PDB file of all heavy atoms in Angstrom:
ATOM      1  N   ASN A 690      -8.588 -15.613   2.637  1.00 97.00           N
ATOM      2  CA  ASN A 690      -7.602 -16.527   3.195  1.00 97.00           C
ATOM      3  C   ASN A 690      -6.308 -16.524   2.386  1.00 97.00           C
ATOM      4  O   ASN A 690      -5.203 -16.506   2.940  1.00 97.00           O
ATOM      5  CB  ASN A 690      -8.184 -17.938   3.257  1.00 97.00           C
ATOM      6  CG  ASN A 690      -7.244 -18.930   3.903  1.00 97.00           C
ATOM      7  OD1 ASN A 690      -6.630 -19.757   3.242  1.00 97.00           O
ATOM      8  ND2 ASN A 690      -7.117 -18.847   5.228  1.00 97.00           N
ATOM      9  N   GLU A 691      -6.433 -16.503   1.077  1.00 97.00           N
ATOM     10  CA  GLU A 691      -5.252 -16.469   0.206  1.00 97.00           C
ATOM     11  C   GLU A 691      -4.468 -15.172   0.409  1.00 97.00           C
ATOM     12  O   GLU A 691      -3.231 -15.180   0.457  1.00 97.00           O
ATOM     13  CB  GLU A 691      -5.685 -16.601  -1.252  1.00 97.00           C
ATOM     14  CG  GLU A 691      -6.283 -17.963  -1.602  1.00 97.00           C
ATOM     15  CD  GLU A 691      -6.915 -17.979  -2.977  1.00 97.00           C
ATOM     16  OE1 GLU A 691      -6.997 -16.896  -3.608  1.00 97.00           O
ATOM     17  OE2 GLU A 691      -7.341 -19.061  -3.421  1.00 97.00           O
ATOM     18  N   ALA A 692      -5.183 -14.055   0.558  1.00 97.00           N
ATOM     19  CA  ALA A 692      -4.507 -12.772   0.743  1.00 97.00           C
ATOM     20  C   ALA A 692      -3.867 -12.663   2.123  1.00 97.00           C
ATOM     21  O   ALA A 692      -2.767 -12.112   2.266  1.00 97.00           O
ATOM     22  CB  ALA A 692      -5.497 -11.627   0.519  1.00 97.00           C
ATOM     23  N   TYR A 693      -4.539 -13.199   3.166  1.00 97.00           N
ATOM     24  CA  TYR A 693      -3.924 -13.217   4.498  1.00 97.00           C
ATOM     25  C   TYR A 693      -2.637 -14.045   4.473  1.00 97.00           C
ATOM     26  O   TYR A 693      -1.631 -13.678   5.089  1.00 97.00           O
ATOM     27  CB  TYR A 693      -4.886 -13.799   5.529  1.00 97.00           C
ATOM     28  CG  TYR A 693      -5.977 -12.857   5.972  1.00 97.00           C
ATOM     29  CD1 TYR A 693      -7.319 -13.233   5.888  1.00 97.00           C
ATOM     30  CD2 TYR A 693      -5.675 -11.600   6.502  1.00 97.00           C
ATOM     31  CE1 TYR A 693      -8.336 -12.373   6.303  1.00 97.00           C
ATOM     32  CE2 TYR A 693      -6.684 -10.737   6.912  1.00 97.00           C
ATOM     33  CZ  TYR A 693      -8.008 -11.130   6.802  1.00 97.00           C
ATOM     34  OH  TYR A 693      -9.009 -10.278   7.209  1.00 97.00           O
ATOM     35  N   ARG A 694      -2.669 -15.166   3.776  1.00 97.00           N
ATOM     36  CA  ARG A 694      -1.473 -16.009   3.686  1.00 97.00           C
ATOM     37  C   ARG A 694      -0.332 -15.255   3.010  1.00 97.00           C
ATOM     38  O   ARG A 694       0.820 -15.319   3.453  1.00 97.00           O
ATOM     39  CB  ARG A 694      -1.793 -17.297   2.918  1.00 97.00           C
ATOM     40  CG  ARG A 694      -0.601 -18.273   2.854  1.00 97.00           C
ATOM     41  CD  ARG A 694      -1.003 -19.590   2.229  1.00 97.00           C
ATOM     42  NE  ARG A 694      -1.469 -19.407   0.869  1.00 97.00           N
ATOM     43  CZ  ARG A 694      -2.543 -20.025   0.368  1.00 97.00           C
ATOM     44  NH1 ARG A 694      -3.285 -20.805   1.129  1.00 97.00           N
ATOM     45  NH2 ARG A 694      -2.896 -19.827  -0.888  1.00 97.00           N
ATOM     46  N   SER A 695      -0.643 -14.530   1.952  1.00 97.00           N
ATOM     47  CA  SER A 695       0.382 -13.737   1.263  1.00 97.00           C
ATOM     48  C   SER A 695       0.920 -12.644   2.172  1.00 97.00           C
ATOM     49  O   SER A 695       2.127 -12.376   2.202  1.00 97.00           O
ATOM     50  CB  SER A 695      -0.208 -13.115  -0.009  1.00 97.00           C
ATOM     51  OG  SER A 695      -0.570 -14.118  -0.935  1.00 97.00           O
ATOM     52  N   SER A 696       0.037 -12.017   2.938  1.00 97.00           N
ATOM     53  CA  SER A 696       0.470 -10.974   3.862  1.00 97.00           C
ATOM     54  C   SER A 696       1.422 -11.517   4.915  1.00 97.00           C
ATOM     55  O   SER A 696       2.431 -10.892   5.250  1.00 97.00           O
ATOM     56  CB  SER A 696      -0.746 -10.334   4.541  1.00 97.00           C
ATOM     57  OG  SER A 696      -0.355  -9.375   5.495  1.00 97.00           O
ATOM     58  N   LEU A 697       1.117 -12.715   5.417  1.00 97.00           N
ATOM     59  CA  LEU A 697       1.935 -13.312   6.479  1.00 97.00           C
ATOM     60  C   LEU A 697       3.322 -13.721   5.980  1.00 97.00           C
ATOM     61  O   LEU A 697       4.246 -13.863   6.780  1.00 97.00           O
ATOM     62  CB  LEU A 697       1.209 -14.503   7.093  1.00 97.00           C
ATOM     63  CG  LEU A 697      -0.003 -14.130   7.960  1.00 97.00           C
ATOM     64  CD1 LEU A 697      -0.821 -15.374   8.303  1.00 97.00           C
ATOM     65  CD2 LEU A 697       0.448 -13.412   9.229  1.00 97.00           C
ATOM     66  N   ARG A 698       3.474 -13.892   4.685  1.00 96.00           N
ATOM     67  CA  ARG A 698       4.816 -14.163   4.143  1.00 96.00           C
ATOM     68  C   ARG A 698       5.738 -12.974   4.402  1.00 96.00           C
ATOM     69  O   ARG A 698       6.939 -13.137   4.595  1.00 96.00           O
ATOM     70  CB  ARG A 698       4.739 -14.427   2.631  1.00 96.00           C
ATOM     71  CG  ARG A 698       4.167 -15.765   2.247  1.00 96.00           C
ATOM     72  CD  ARG A 698       4.682 -16.213   0.881  1.00 96.00           C
ATOM     73  NE  ARG A 698       4.530 -15.185  -0.134  1.00 96.00           N
ATOM     74  CZ  ARG A 698       3.487 -15.083  -0.964  1.00 96.00           C
ATOM     75  NH1 ARG A 698       2.487 -15.953  -0.857  1.00 96.00           N
ATOM     76  NH2 ARG A 698       3.413 -14.129  -1.863  1.00 96.00           N
ATOM     77  N   TYR A 699       5.162 -11.779   4.362  1.00 96.00           N
ATOM     78  CA  TYR A 699       5.935 -10.567   4.566  1.00 96.00           C
ATOM     79  C   TYR A 699       5.886 -10.083   6.015  1.00 96.00           C
ATOM     80  O   TYR A 699       6.801  -9.395   6.477  1.00 96.00           O
ATOM     81  CB  TYR A 699       5.409  -9.450   3.652  1.00 96.00           C
ATOM     82  CG  TYR A 699       5.538  -9.761   2.183  1.00 96.00           C
ATOM     83  CD1 TYR A 699       4.427 -10.105   1.420  1.00 96.00           C
ATOM     84  CD2 TYR A 699       6.775  -9.714   1.550  1.00 96.00           C
ATOM     85  CE1 TYR A 699       4.539 -10.375   0.062  1.00 96.00           C
ATOM     86  CE2 TYR A 699       6.908  -9.988   0.198  1.00 96.00           C
ATOM     87  CZ  TYR A 699       5.785 -10.326  -0.541  1.00 96.00           C
ATOM     88  OH  TYR A 699       5.913 -10.603  -1.877  1.00 96.00           O
ATOM     89  N   ARG A 700       4.791 -10.397   6.716  1.00 94.00           N
ATOM     90  CA  ARG A 700       4.619  -9.945   8.110  1.00 94.00           C
ATOM     91  C   ARG A 700       4.232 -11.144   8.971  1.00 94.00           C
ATOM     92  O   ARG A 700       3.092 -11.243   9.450  1.00 94.00           O
ATOM     93  CB  ARG A 700       3.531  -8.864   8.168  1.00 94.00           C
ATOM     94  CG  ARG A 700       3.780  -7.667   7.270  1.00 94.00           C
ATOM     95  CD  ARG A 700       2.561  -6.752   7.258  1.00 94.00           C
ATOM     96  NE  ARG A 700       2.413  -6.006   8.492  1.00 94.00           N
ATOM     97  CZ  ARG A 700       1.270  -5.437   8.881  1.00 94.00           C
ATOM     98  NH1 ARG A 700       0.176  -5.576   8.163  1.00 94.00           N
ATOM     99  NH2 ARG A 700       1.209  -4.767  10.009  1.00 94.00           N
ATOM    100  N   PRO A 701       5.158 -12.080   9.179  1.00 94.00           N
ATOM    101  CA  PRO A 701       4.817 -13.327   9.884  1.00 94.00           C
ATOM    102  C   PRO A 701       4.401 -13.122  11.338  1.00 94.00           C
ATOM    103  O   PRO A 701       3.740 -13.985  11.925  1.00 94.00           O
ATOM    104  CB  PRO A 701       6.103 -14.152   9.790  1.00 94.00           C
ATOM    105  CG  PRO A 701       7.193 -13.145   9.562  1.00 94.00           C
ATOM    106  CD  PRO A 701       6.571 -12.066   8.736  1.00 94.00           C
ATOM    107  N   GLY A 702       4.777 -11.999  11.945  1.00 92.00           N
ATOM    108  CA  GLY A 702       4.435 -11.774  13.338  1.00 92.00           C
ATOM    109  C   GLY A 702       3.151 -10.991  13.545  1.00 92.00           C
ATOM    110  O   GLY A 702       2.842 -10.603  14.684  1.00 92.00           O
ATOM    111  N   ASN A 703       2.388 -10.753  12.499  1.00 93.00           N
ATOM    112  CA  ASN A 703       1.157  -9.974  12.609  1.00 93.00           C
ATOM    113  C   ASN A 703       0.064 -10.826  13.263  1.00 93.00           C
ATOM    114  O   ASN A 703      -0.542 -11.698  12.626  1.00 93.00           O
ATOM    115  CB  ASN A 703       0.714  -9.511  11.221  1.00 93.00           C
ATOM    116  CG  ASN A 703      -0.540  -8.657  11.252  1.00 93.00           C
ATOM    117  OD1 ASN A 703      -1.060  -8.346  12.319  1.00 93.00           O
ATOM    118  ND2 ASN A 703      -1.028  -8.290  10.074  1.00 93.00           N
ATOM    119  N   ALA A 704      -0.190 -10.571  14.559  1.00 95.00           N
ATOM    120  CA  ALA A 704      -1.134 -11.401  15.315  1.00 95.00           C
ATOM    121  C   ALA A 704      -2.534 -11.363  14.715  1.00 95.00           C
ATOM    122  O   ALA A 704      -3.210 -12.404  14.614  1.00 95.00           O
ATOM    123  CB  ALA A 704      -1.166 -10.944  16.772  1.00 95.00           C
ATOM    124  N   LYS A 705      -2.976 -10.177  14.307  1.00 95.00           N
ATOM    125  CA  LYS A 705      -4.310 -10.076  13.722  1.00 95.00           C
ATOM    126  C   LYS A 705      -4.378 -10.838  12.406  1.00 95.00           C
ATOM    127  O   LYS A 705      -5.378 -11.504  12.106  1.00 95.00           O
ATOM    128  CB  LYS A 705      -4.685  -8.612  13.491  1.00 95.00           C
ATOM    129  CG  LYS A 705      -6.113  -8.436  12.990  1.00 95.00           C
ATOM    130  CD  LYS A 705      -6.489  -6.961  12.861  1.00 95.00           C
ATOM    131  CE  LYS A 705      -7.923  -6.804  12.363  1.00 95.00           C
ATOM    132  NZ  LYS A 705      -8.300  -5.363  12.223  1.00 95.00           N
ATOM    133  N   GLY A 706      -3.289 -10.771  11.633  1.00 94.00           N
ATOM    134  CA  GLY A 706      -3.240 -11.498  10.370  1.00 94.00           C
ATOM    135  C   GLY A 706      -3.311 -13.004  10.583  1.00 94.00           C
ATOM    136  O   GLY A 706      -3.981 -13.712   9.819  1.00 94.00           O
ATOM    137  N   ILE A 707      -2.625 -13.494  11.617  1.00 96.00           N
ATOM    138  CA  ILE A 707      -2.650 -14.933  11.913  1.00 96.00           C
ATOM    139  C   ILE A 707      -4.066 -15.361  12.295  1.00 96.00           C
ATOM    140  O   ILE A 707      -4.592 -16.372  11.793  1.00 96.00           O
ATOM    141  CB  ILE A 707      -1.658 -15.262  13.050  1.00 96.00           C
ATOM    142  CG1 ILE A 707      -0.221 -15.003  12.574  1.00 96.00           C
ATOM    143  CG2 ILE A 707      -1.821 -16.711  13.513  1.00 96.00           C
ATOM    144  CD1 ILE A 707       0.809 -15.061  13.693  1.00 96.00           C
ATOM    145  N   TYR A 708      -4.692 -14.574  13.191  1.00 96.00           N
ATOM    146  CA  TYR A 708      -6.050 -14.901  13.628  1.00 96.00           C
ATOM    147  C   TYR A 708      -7.021 -14.904  12.445  1.00 96.00           C
ATOM    148  O   TYR A 708      -7.814 -15.836  12.265  1.00 96.00           O
ATOM    149  CB  TYR A 708      -6.516 -13.901  14.687  1.00 96.00           C
ATOM    150  CG  TYR A 708      -7.981 -14.007  14.996  1.00 96.00           C
ATOM    151  CD1 TYR A 708      -8.470 -15.024  15.817  1.00 96.00           C
ATOM    152  CD2 TYR A 708      -8.887 -13.094  14.453  1.00 96.00           C
ATOM    153  CE1 TYR A 708      -9.819 -15.132  16.087  1.00 96.00           C
ATOM    154  CE2 TYR A 708     -10.240 -13.192  14.718  1.00 96.00           C
ATOM    155  CZ  TYR A 708     -10.701 -14.218  15.531  1.00 96.00           C
ATOM    156  OH  TYR A 708     -12.042 -14.327  15.788  1.00 96.00           O
ATOM    157  N   LYS A 709      -6.950 -13.848  11.606  1.00 95.00           N
ATOM    158  CA  LYS A 709      -7.884 -13.738  10.493  1.00 95.00           C
ATOM    159  C   LYS A 709      -7.606 -14.794   9.419  1.00 95.00           C
ATOM    160  O   LYS A 709      -8.518 -15.212   8.704  1.00 95.00           O
ATOM    161  CB  LYS A 709      -7.820 -12.330   9.890  1.00 95.00           C
ATOM    162  CG  LYS A 709      -8.266 -11.221  10.829  1.00 95.00           C
ATOM    163  CD  LYS A 709      -9.741 -11.302  11.172  1.00 95.00           C
ATOM    164  CE  LYS A 709     -10.638 -10.770  10.093  1.00 95.00           C
ATOM    165  NZ  LYS A 709     -10.594  -9.311   9.964  1.00 95.00           N
ATOM    166  N   TYR A 710      -6.355 -15.225   9.301  1.00 95.00           N
ATOM    167  CA  TYR A 710      -6.027 -16.300   8.354  1.00 95.00           C
ATOM    168  C   TYR A 710      -6.806 -17.564   8.710  1.00 95.00           C
ATOM    169  O   TYR A 710      -7.447 -18.183   7.857  1.00 95.00           O
ATOM    170  CB  TYR A 710      -4.521 -16.566   8.367  1.00 95.00           C
ATOM    171  CG  TYR A 710      -4.134 -17.853   7.650  1.00 95.00           C
ATOM    172  CD1 TYR A 710      -4.127 -17.901   6.264  1.00 95.00           C
ATOM    173  CD2 TYR A 710      -3.797 -18.990   8.357  1.00 95.00           C
ATOM    174  CE1 TYR A 710      -3.780 -19.072   5.596  1.00 95.00           C
ATOM    175  CE2 TYR A 710      -3.457 -20.159   7.711  1.00 95.00           C
ATOM    176  CZ  TYR A 710      -3.458 -20.204   6.335  1.00 95.00           C
ATOM    177  OH  TYR A 710      -3.115 -21.363   5.674  1.00 95.00           O
ATOM    178  N   PHE A 711      -6.760 -17.944   9.990  1.00 96.00           N
ATOM    179  CA  PHE A 711      -7.463 -19.158  10.406  1.00 96.00           C
ATOM    180  C   PHE A 711      -8.979 -18.947  10.411  1.00 96.00           C
ATOM    181  O   PHE A 711      -9.741 -19.855  10.044  1.00 96.00           O
ATOM    182  CB  PHE A 711      -6.971 -19.611  11.784  1.00 96.00           C
ATOM    183  CG  PHE A 711      -5.601 -20.221  11.749  1.00 96.00           C
ATOM    184  CD1 PHE A 711      -4.504 -19.549  12.256  1.00 96.00           C
ATOM    185  CD2 PHE A 711      -5.401 -21.487  11.194  1.00 96.00           C
ATOM    186  CE1 PHE A 711      -3.228 -20.122  12.222  1.00 96.00           C
ATOM    187  CE2 PHE A 711      -4.139 -22.060  11.141  1.00 96.00           C
ATOM    188  CZ  PHE A 711      -3.056 -21.376  11.665  1.00 96.00           C
ATOM    189  N   ALA A 712      -9.424 -17.737  10.786  1.00 95.00           N
ATOM    190  CA  ALA A 712     -10.859 -17.473  10.791  1.00 95.00           C
ATOM    191  C   ALA A 712     -11.441 -17.527   9.380  1.00 95.00           C
ATOM    192  O   ALA A 712     -12.508 -18.121   9.164  1.00 95.00           O
ATOM    193  CB  ALA A 712     -11.114 -16.091  11.401  1.00 95.00           C
ATOM    194  N   SER A 713     -10.723 -16.964   8.427  1.00 96.00           N
ATOM    195  CA  SER A 713     -11.208 -16.987   7.039  1.00 96.00           C
ATOM    196  C   SER A 713     -11.165 -18.408   6.470  1.00 96.00           C
ATOM    197  O   SER A 713     -12.014 -18.778   5.657  1.00 96.00           O
ATOM    198  CB  SER A 713     -10.377 -16.039   6.175  1.00 96.00           C
ATOM    199  OG  SER A 713      -9.009 -16.401   6.164  1.00 96.00           O
ATOM    200  N   LYS A 714     -10.185 -19.184   6.910  1.00 93.00           N
ATOM    201  CA  LYS A 714     -10.083 -20.576   6.456  1.00 93.00           C
ATOM    202  C   LYS A 714     -11.290 -21.372   6.909  1.00 93.00           C
ATOM    203  O   LYS A 714     -11.887 -22.148   6.137  1.00 93.00           O
ATOM    204  CB  LYS A 714      -8.793 -21.202   6.976  1.00 93.00           C
ATOM    205  CG  LYS A 714      -8.430 -22.527   6.339  1.00 93.00           C
ATOM    206  CD  LYS A 714      -7.037 -22.976   6.791  1.00 93.00           C
ATOM    207  CE  LYS A 714      -6.619 -24.237   6.058  1.00 93.00           C
ATOM    208  NZ  LYS A 714      -5.239 -24.641   6.446  1.00 93.00           N
ATOM    209  N   LEU A 715     -11.705 -21.169   8.160  1.00 94.00           N
ATOM    210  CA  LEU A 715     -12.877 -21.868   8.693  1.00 94.00           C
ATOM    211  C   LEU A 715     -14.149 -21.415   7.981  1.00 94.00           C
ATOM    212  O   LEU A 715     -15.017 -22.236   7.622  1.00 94.00           O
ATOM    213  CB  LEU A 715     -12.998 -21.604  10.191  1.00 94.00           C
ATOM    214  CG  LEU A 715     -11.971 -22.300  11.092  1.00 94.00           C
ATOM    215  CD1 LEU A 715     -12.099 -21.795  12.528  1.00 94.00           C
ATOM    216  CD2 LEU A 715     -12.150 -23.813  11.034  1.00 94.00           C
ATOM    217  N   LYS A 716     -14.283 -20.114   7.753  1.00 92.00           N
ATOM    218  CA  LYS A 716     -15.470 -19.585   7.087  1.00 92.00           C
ATOM    219  C   LYS A 716     -15.530 -20.041   5.632  1.00 92.00           C
ATOM    220  O   LYS A 716     -16.622 -20.284   5.097  1.00 92.00           O
ATOM    221  CB  LYS A 716     -15.484 -18.061   7.170  1.00 92.00           C
ATOM    222  CG  LYS A 716     -15.804 -17.524   8.560  1.00 92.00           C
ATOM    223  CD  LYS A 716     -15.834 -16.012   8.583  1.00 92.00           C
ATOM    224  CE  LYS A 716     -16.232 -15.466   9.949  1.00 92.00           C
ATOM    225  NZ  LYS A 716     -17.638 -15.739  10.273  1.00 92.00           N
ATOM    226  N   ALA A 717     -14.380 -20.179   4.994  1.00 93.00           N
ATOM    227  CA  ALA A 717     -14.353 -20.630   3.600  1.00 93.00           C
ATOM    228  C   ALA A 717     -14.842 -22.067   3.475  1.00 93.00           C
ATOM    229  O   ALA A 717     -15.422 -22.456   2.441  1.00 93.00           O
ATOM    230  CB  ALA A 717     -12.945 -20.507   3.026  1.00 93.00           C
ATOM    231  N   ARG A 718     -14.639 -22.870   4.531  1.00 90.00           N
ATOM    232  CA  ARG A 718     -15.097 -24.255   4.504  1.00 90.00           C
ATOM    233  C   ARG A 718     -16.604 -24.354   4.741  1.00 90.00           C
ATOM    234  O   ARG A 718     -17.196 -25.413   4.535  1.00 90.00           O
ATOM    235  CB  ARG A 718     -14.351 -25.064   5.592  1.00 90.00           C
ATOM    236  CG  ARG A 718     -12.883 -25.297   5.255  1.00 90.00           C
ATOM    237  CD  ARG A 718     -12.178 -25.969   6.428  1.00 90.00           C
ATOM    238  NE  ARG A 718     -10.775 -26.261   6.100  1.00 90.00           N
ATOM    239  CZ  ARG A 718      -9.901 -26.731   6.983  1.00 90.00           C
ATOM    240  NH1 ARG A 718     -10.297 -26.928   8.248  1.00 90.00           N
ATOM    241  NH2 ARG A 718      -8.650 -26.968   6.635  1.00 90.00           N
TER     242      ARG A 718
END
């Protein structure tokens, strides 16, 4: 989740990155 967030700082329009950011956040909980 931390790495996806860092990636999105540079590639904010990456749809797969956005999806995986939220998916990893849910799994981390």
